[in-house]
Each structure stands twice: as structure tokens, then as C-alpha cells.
Amino acid sequence: MPEQPGTPPAPADPVAPDVPTVRLAAAGTALVVGVPESGPPYVLHWGADLPDALGLAALSAPAVPHNTVDTAFPLSLLPGQGEGWSGHPGLSGHREGRAAHPRWRVREVVVDPLPDAPAGTGGVLVFTAHAPDAGLELRAELRMEADGLLRTRLEVTNTGADVWTPAALHVFLPLPREAGEVLDPTGRWCRERAPQRREFAQGTLLRASRRGRTGHDAPLFLVAGTPGFGFRRGEVWGVHVAWSGDHVHLAERLPEGAGQADAVLGGGELLHPGEVRLAPGESYSTPWVCFSWSDRGLDGMSARVHRWLRARPHHPSAPRPVVLNTWEAVYFDHDLDKLKRLADTAARVGVERFVLDDGWFRGRRDDTAGLGDWTVDTGVWPDGLHPLFDHVRALGMQTGLWVEPEMVNPDSDLFREHPDWILGPADHAPPTGRGQHVLDLGRPEAAAYLLERLDALVAEYRPDHLKWDHNRDLLEAVHGPTGGAGVHRQTAAAYALLDRLRARHPGLEIESCSSGGARVDLGVLERTDRVWASDVNDPLERLAVQRWTGLLLPPELVGGHVGGPVSHTTGRVTDLATRCLTALLGHPGIEWDITGCTEEELDALARWTALYRELRPLLHSGDLVRADDPDPAEQLDGVVARDGREAVYRYARPVSSVRTHPGRVRLPGLRPDLRYRLRLREEAGAPAAVQRAAPGWTARGGAVASGRVLEHSGVHLPNLSPGGALLLHLTPA
């Protein structure tokens, strides 16, 4: 384009067409990074793999419009105003009130292969830089994992002569203009991870959590995608901050774009004013920030995370046992004989792990007392927990125990002895939540007390499992000794407590429970073996909660239980088959006083646990698939084996439909070249249906069809009653 009169000549193009590039690629996705001679590296491409990136750098330099900076600039991995970026900075902070806008000088860029991965699969890029005028050093690590998940983290070090206080250190990746819609789940107690969608317009979509924990409303993944994307369609880009404290997820689009890109997606820890102060030589590291791209919709994005999780050395490797948790069976009414009868019945129906929930420790007859006093209540348990645990083990089951170490009741010996140990200002106590305060784990003496008590409990009673609860948000989270903000310190100390306990008891499994699903993130899952997705066991509520929890986690990490006929939290009445099938596609258990069940109900539970054990290898290794249901009254979720030779689908109808019958339902994720035998699995009971006759193939006991027919034409299913569900099982024909 010719220049307008009076326009000064454009300076040299900083987005050099011959800039050296680094490509990290795996499983059909790639990150291409430009490495200039000066200045920090910048991302030229994140998305579909580009085995030949010829021309990428040359074609990435934008025009220079009027009324902006005079030079086209590449948006670096740590964008800031010094390079022309007016959006949220990658790094911000101050040195005793003096703002810093670092001009980074790269010292070293190192690219290494991904350990234990085939040659040419994935890789690790690490670069270091310094900004002498600002007195800062930077280390950035980008890991492309073998299945295409990109994990990133940053570390900043104060090399100056006085204190430097970071305000933010966030990781951003670029987005193209095709990303026109945003999905960011929200939620509340008993209604976690409710999806919400909106146009990705100009401006900033910022999801910030100041709850001191991940939160019931945490987005898990903040997803940008092509308009209309779904589980099985569209191109999507997602980000997850692997941190259990306060955090930020954001998507930002400015009118002038984002350098070589159109918008940005990113996040990191939310730091409160003065929460982290770096003395000379000290460093601050971000949590891991995880990015996942897919051109196969949300299922493809989730699969990258699930496969990475399953490849971790510490991922749960033993078969996930069927659990019975005593909470909704007995609540605080702990009676040894009753609990023994419950254990006997649990063993009869195939339970493999018996978990004693809240109410076993001193003074704990309701939820207003006892937290902090982690010793067995001898008034209820005169011989300790040994009689119950010995009985459970004699029945062939594992044992588990509920704890909530990070909290304390005002009515407890611990609080009476150490009222200064709570997390809060020195001059007043923060508001209680659920009748409890938060223990300040940033105090070494408080953390040491908890480690000693938990270690003693585990050493004496040898539980296989701890259900680790965290039942309230953090308010006025001030570290008393300093008066400073305390969420960062509290989160790091909770992680350290988990790590130390696991180091002392390597075989111990721990479940992250936080008044249901308020601490579900990849940070806590580095230290735990499953999460409790929600306190709601109503299966019709659980269908949605578990479906959207699957954005981040594979089924074996997500606890889901069969409750009683009347839901404890919603009051809704549901049939046993639906309750069983909802729990099946996860890490299932029972939370119900089954000593009062009929023989028919017990037989159904026994058949269901046997079915789970049969399908467990598939459910906990295959790919999670979720249909883009054309009818809002239905939901189809499934698991397909990695080789495509076996699959299970759960079809549910939570509410009535305007359709007379479902029509042909398509089964996603199958191999078109294989022939499958399709049959209903009714071990937990036949689903209630509104029909004069069932589809013919069900009456014949099954059918054989190709994967192409099942995925692209579909199958007629029974016309379920509202609240009903059924299970389809596909095996090689």
C-alpha cells in the first residue's frame, strides 16, 4: 500500500521474515516460536501441526495502522507496554513504588527432547533472560507433552538491590481471529461446572477467583473456539491454571489485535497486594498453566489432558475400588454395631473400600465442634476405630477415613489453646463459614501440629484412603504474624502438608473434597488420587456435573456415588438404575444406608458392581466421548477404547422431550472400518420407558452394525421415561 503524504518512513520490521524458529509438536498440534536476536521469544503459531513452517514468520508481520505505535511488534511470551501491548501485561510489579517495564535481553534458549517420548514427539523449550535496568531475571519453560498438551510456567528472580513486589506473572498464548466464542463454566455448591457461552467480542473476559480455593465456580478450562463449537465439532483453544488458590483465567481481544496474533488466552495465580515480596536473590514461580488445542471440539481438547494425566508415573495404577462412604448412610450417628452391619451389607454387594466419614473424632456430634482435635472420640469409640477397621478388613475391603485438617471449630481444644492460629487479621476474627475458621498453615507450628496428628492417625489405623475435605472459602485471609495477604502461603503450605504426609505413607491414597467440587484442579491432583465432583448425589444433577468435570479429568479421577431413592440435597426421587448408571462412568461408590434395602435392590447393586468391575479396564483407559445432543432433553456420554474396538455409552433423558421418541441416536468416536455387536446392559435394572413396544433390535438381544453406520446414521433407542437412563455396550462382532 502506498504511504499517505507526510507519513514518516516505516522503521525496520521487528517481525523478521528470517527469524529462527523452534517447533514443538506432538499428536497433531504444534507450537512454533520465533527466537529473535534481541528481545524475548514470541509465538508465531499455536494450533494444527505445521511440519513445514516455510513463510510463517514472513507472513506474520501485520500492517502498521494509524494512531498506534510506529512499528509492528511481535507479542512476546511475556507481553508488556515496552513492546507496544496495551492489554493485560505478562509481568507487572514495583520496586518500592517504582514501576518496572522490563526490556528483556535473552541469555539462552535451550530446546531438549521430551524425556521418555519417541524421537520428534513433543519437546521442552527453556529460555532465560535478564533486564538489568529493572533488576530482574526470567526463566520460562514450555513443555509440549507427548499427547499435545502444552504446559508452561515462568520464574522471575530479583537481581536488584532492594525488594521487588510482583503484582502479576501470567502466561499468554496467541489466538487467531477465528476464535469467536468463549465457554467458561461456572457453578455453586451442588451445581458445579454449569456451562455458559458468549461471543468473544472486543475487550477482556476475566475470570478471577478470590475464594482462597479453586471454587465451585472455577472455569476448569476457559475455552475460546470457532462459533458453534461443541464436544465433537469445531476448533478450540483452552487454558487451565493448575493452582488451588486464587487464580486468573482471561481471554482478551483489543481493536488493534495482539501483534502477530488477533487475541490472547492465558492466566496464572492472582496475587494480592504485597502478598509476594522478593528480597534480593529471591524468586517467584508461577503454577503450571496448561493449554490444549483441538480441531475435534472439546472432546479432542480434553483427550490431550486425560492422556497426559494417565501417563504420569504417580497416576493411580491399581483398579479403582467400588467405595461405600458412610456420610449419607449414618451422618453423625456413629454406632459400631450399625456400622458393622453396613460393612457386612457393603461386602455382600461387592464394595471394595469402606470409608468412615465425619463424626469419629472428639466432640464431633454435629458440625459445630471438634475440628482441629484429631483424636478418636473415646465416648463413642471406647476401643478406637480398630474394631470397625478390623471388621472391614476381615470382609476383604479396604478402609478409608474423613478428615478436614485445614479447618478448626471455635468449640475445640485446639482453638481454645491456640486462638492465634487462625488465618485472619490480628485484631479480629474473620466471619465463620459452616461454623469454622481456617487454620493458618503458614505458621510452621500449626502445620507441624497437623502433620503430627495425621501421621499418628495413619500410622495407628492404616487407612488406605483419606477423604480430605475443605468446607469453606477463605475470607480476610491474612497471615497473622506479618499482617500480609495469606492465600499464596496457605496454598503452598497445604501442598507441602499433603506432600509430607504422602512421603511418610507412600501407599496412602487421598481424595480432594472441598464441600463437593470446590477444589478440582491439576495442582491438587499432583498430590491426590481423585476428586469429589459435587456434594449432590441426585443423578439428574450429577449427569451435567460429571459431564463438564470431564473437560479436565478422566473418569477414574472423579468420584460419583449411588445415593438413596430420595436425594439428600434436592429431595428428588429417582430410580435405582439411573442412580447406578450415572455413577458408573466415573470412580463409583455408594452413599446410602443399604442395610434397609430390599433383596431386589441388593441384588441389583451386586450386579452393578460386577458390571463395573467388568467394564473398569475400558472405562478408565479409553477416550471420553460426549455427543452434541440435538435434543436438550437427552444426554449421551461414553468411553471408547483407544484402539476403537470396544465402547460403552450411557444415554439419559433427564426431562421429557417434545419428541415422541428419540429418533436415531448417533454414537460418536467409533472406528468406521469395524463391525460392532450392540446390546443393552441392564444389570442394574431395566429402564422405565413410555412405549407400546421397544425397538426391534432390543427384543432380539442386540444387533450388529458397522462403526460408520452407528456414528453417521445411528440407532433407535427405547423411549425412556423422564429421569431414565440406559447403557449400551459395543464389542467386536
Side-chain angles (χ1 to χ4, degrees), residues 35-48:
V35 185
E37 291 185 5
S38 62
Y42 53 89
V43 174
L44 288 163
H45 172 80
W46 169 46

PDB file of all heavy atoms in Angstrom, residues 35-48:
ATOM      1  N   VAL A  35      12.558 -16.935  17.590  1.00  0.00           N
ATOM      2  CA  VAL A  35      13.634 -16.612  18.524  1.00  0.00           C
ATOM      3  C   VAL A  35      14.476 -15.504  17.896  1.00  0.00           C
ATOM      4  O   VAL A  35      15.418 -15.770  17.146  1.00  0.00           O
ATOM      5  CB  VAL A  35      14.494 -17.847  18.843  1.00  0.00           C
ATOM      6  CG1 VAL A  35      15.537 -17.506  19.904  1.00  0.00           C
ATOM      7  CG2 VAL A  35      13.619 -19.006  19.317  1.00  0.00           C
ATOM      8  N   PRO A  36      14.160 -14.236  18.188  1.00  0.00           N
ATOM      9  CA  PRO A  36      14.907 -13.134  17.577  1.00  0.00           C
ATOM     10  C   PRO A  36      16.283 -12.967  18.203  1.00  0.00           C
ATOM     11  O   PRO A  36      16.573 -13.518  19.271  1.00  0.00           O
ATOM     12  CB  PRO A  36      14.019 -11.928  17.864  1.00  0.00           C
ATOM     13  CG  PRO A  36      13.323 -12.278  19.137  1.00  0.00           C
ATOM     14  CD  PRO A  36      13.101 -13.768  19.086  1.00  0.00           C
ATOM     15  N   GLU A  37      17.136 -12.180  17.527  1.00  0.00           N
ATOM     16  CA  GLU A  37      18.469 -11.924  18.068  1.00  0.00           C
ATOM     17  C   GLU A  37      18.393 -11.128  19.365  1.00  0.00           C
ATOM     18  O   GLU A  37      19.227 -11.283  20.254  1.00  0.00           O
ATOM     19  CB  GLU A  37      19.313 -11.170  17.039  1.00  0.00           C
ATOM     20  CG  GLU A  37      19.681 -12.010  15.823  1.00  0.00           C
ATOM     21  CD  GLU A  37      20.607 -11.257  14.889  1.00  0.00           C
ATOM     22  OE1 GLU A  37      21.018 -10.136  15.240  1.00  0.00           O
ATOM     23  OE2 GLU A  37      20.913 -11.790  13.803  1.00  0.00           O
ATOM     24  N   SER A  38      17.420 -10.246  19.469  1.00  0.00           N
ATOM     25  CA  SER A  38      17.231  -9.478  20.698  1.00  0.00           C
ATOM     26  C   SER A  38      15.756  -9.525  21.070  1.00  0.00           C
ATOM     27  O   SER A  38      14.892  -9.667  20.212  1.00  0.00           O
ATOM     28  CB  SER A  38      17.680  -8.028  20.502  1.00  0.00           C
ATOM     29  OG  SER A  38      16.892  -7.396  19.510  1.00  0.00           O
ATOM     30  N   GLY A  39      15.485  -9.404  22.331  1.00  0.00           N
ATOM     31  CA  GLY A  39      14.109  -9.464  22.784  1.00  0.00           C
ATOM     32  C   GLY A  39      13.679 -10.895  23.047  1.00  0.00           C
ATOM     33  O   GLY A  39      14.305 -11.854  22.590  1.00  0.00           O
ATOM     34  N   PRO A  40      12.602 -11.063  23.811  1.00  0.00           N
ATOM     35  CA  PRO A  40      12.161 -12.412  24.190  1.00  0.00           C
ATOM     36  C   PRO A  40      11.520 -13.145  23.017  1.00  0.00           C
ATOM     37  O   PRO A  40      11.020 -12.535  22.069  1.00  0.00           O
ATOM     38  CB  PRO A  40      11.137 -12.143  25.296  1.00  0.00           C
ATOM     39  CG  PRO A  40      10.628 -10.772  25.010  1.00  0.00           C
ATOM     40  CD  PRO A  40      11.770 -10.010  24.428  1.00  0.00           C
ATOM     41  N   PRO A  41      11.512 -14.472  23.049  1.00  0.00           N
ATOM     42  CA  PRO A  41      10.827 -15.254  22.015  1.00  0.00           C
ATOM     43  C   PRO A  41       9.343 -14.919  21.956  1.00  0.00           C
ATOM     44  O   PRO A  41       8.751 -14.435  22.928  1.00  0.00           O
ATOM     45  CB  PRO A  41      11.059 -16.692  22.474  1.00  0.00           C
ATOM     46  CG  PRO A  41      12.291 -16.645  23.308  1.00  0.00           C
ATOM     47  CD  PRO A  41      12.224 -15.317  24.014  1.00  0.00           C
ATOM     48  N   TYR A  42       8.757 -15.199  20.810  1.00  0.00           N
ATOM     49  CA  TYR A  42       7.328 -14.951  20.635  1.00  0.00           C
ATOM     50  C   TYR A  42       6.722 -16.087  19.836  1.00  0.00           C
ATOM     51  O   TYR A  42       7.383 -16.749  19.033  1.00  0.00           O
ATOM     52  CB  TYR A  42       7.067 -13.600  19.968  1.00  0.00           C
ATOM     53  CG  TYR A  42       7.799 -13.366  18.663  1.00  0.00           C
ATOM     54  CD1 TYR A  42       7.239 -13.750  17.443  1.00  0.00           C
ATOM     55  CD2 TYR A  42       9.037 -12.725  18.642  1.00  0.00           C
ATOM     56  CE1 TYR A  42       7.895 -13.521  16.250  1.00  0.00           C
ATOM     57  CE2 TYR A  42       9.708 -12.487  17.451  1.00  0.00           C
ATOM     58  CZ  TYR A  42       9.130 -12.892  16.246  1.00  0.00           C
ATOM     59  OH  TYR A  42       9.783 -12.671  15.061  1.00  0.00           O
ATOM     60  N   VAL A  43       5.432 -16.333  20.068  1.00  0.00           N
ATOM     61  CA  VAL A  43       4.735 -17.450  19.433  1.00  0.00           C
ATOM     62  C   VAL A  43       4.210 -17.009  18.078  1.00  0.00           C
ATOM     63  O   VAL A  43       3.432 -16.058  17.971  1.00  0.00           O
ATOM     64  CB  VAL A  43       3.579 -17.952  20.323  1.00  0.00           C
ATOM     65  CG1 VAL A  43       2.770 -19.017  19.602  1.00  0.00           C
ATOM     66  CG2 VAL A  43       4.130 -18.504  21.634  1.00  0.00           C
ATOM     67  N   LEU A  44       4.651 -17.714  17.049  1.00  0.00           N
ATOM     68  CA  LEU A  44       4.157 -17.468  15.696  1.00  0.00           C
ATOM     69  C   LEU A  44       2.911 -18.293  15.391  1.00  0.00           C
ATOM     70  O   LEU A  44       2.098 -17.905  14.550  1.00  0.00           O
ATOM     71  CB  LEU A  44       5.248 -17.793  14.681  1.00  0.00           C
ATOM     72  CG  LEU A  44       6.415 -16.795  14.620  1.00  0.00           C
ATOM     73  CD1 LEU A  44       7.601 -17.410  13.910  1.00  0.00           C
ATOM     74  CD2 LEU A  44       5.972 -15.515  13.935  1.00  0.00           C
ATOM     75  N   HIS A  45       2.775 -19.427  16.069  1.00  0.00           N
ATOM     76  CA  HIS A  45       1.640 -20.314  15.765  1.00  0.00           C
ATOM     77  C   HIS A  45       1.419 -21.268  16.924  1.00  0.00           C
ATOM     78  O   HIS A  45       2.371 -21.834  17.475  1.00  0.00           O
ATOM     79  CB  HIS A  45       1.933 -21.119  14.491  1.00  0.00           C
ATOM     80  CG  HIS A  45       0.918 -22.187  14.210  1.00  0.00           C
ATOM     81  ND1 HIS A  45      -0.307 -21.923  13.631  1.00  0.00           N
ATOM     82  CD2 HIS A  45       0.941 -23.527  14.435  1.00  0.00           C
ATOM     83  CE1 HIS A  45      -0.987 -23.053  13.507  1.00  0.00           C
ATOM     84  NE2 HIS A  45      -0.256 -24.032  13.995  1.00  0.00           N
ATOM     85  N   TRP A  46       0.151 -21.434  17.309  1.00  0.00           N
ATOM     86  CA  TRP A  46      -0.265 -22.488  18.227  1.00  0.00           C
ATOM     87  C   TRP A  46      -1.566 -23.054  17.700  1.00  0.00           C
ATOM     88  O   TRP A  46      -2.569 -22.349  17.618  1.00  0.00           O
ATOM     89  CB  TRP A  46      -0.441 -21.940  19.651  1.00  0.00           C
ATOM     90  CG  TRP A  46      -1.114 -22.900  20.588  1.00  0.00           C
ATOM     91  CD1 TRP A  46      -0.840 -24.230  20.743  1.00  0.00           C
ATOM     92  CD2 TRP A  46      -2.187 -22.625  21.488  1.00  0.00           C
ATOM     93  NE1 TRP A  46      -1.661 -24.793  21.677  1.00  0.00           N
ATOM     94  CE2 TRP A  46      -2.507 -23.825  22.153  1.00  0.00           C
ATOM     95  CE3 TRP A  46      -2.911 -21.461  21.801  1.00  0.00           C
ATOM     96  CZ2 TRP A  46      -3.511 -23.905  23.107  1.00  0.00           C
ATOM     97  CZ3 TRP A  46      -3.913 -21.553  22.749  1.00  0.00           C
ATOM     98  CH2 TRP A  46      -4.213 -22.750  23.402  1.00  0.00           C
ATOM     99  N   GLY A  47      -1.534 -24.308  17.314  1.00  0.00           N
ATOM    100  CA  GLY A  47      -2.726 -24.934  16.747  1.00  0.00           C
ATOM    101  C   GLY A  47      -2.353 -26.191  15.994  1.00  0.00           C
ATOM    102  O   GLY A  47      -1.564 -27.015  16.485  1.00  0.00           O
ATOM    103  N   ALA A  48      -2.896 -26.342  14.790  1.00  0.00           N
ATOM    104  CA  ALA A  48      -2.621 -27.526  13.984  1.00  0.00           C
ATOM    105  C   ALA A  48      -1.137 -27.615  13.660  1.00  0.00           C
ATOM    106  O   ALA A  48      -0.454 -26.596  13.493  1.00  0.00           O
ATOM    107  CB  ALA A  48      -3.437 -27.477  12.694  1.00  0.00           C
TER     108      ALA A  48
END
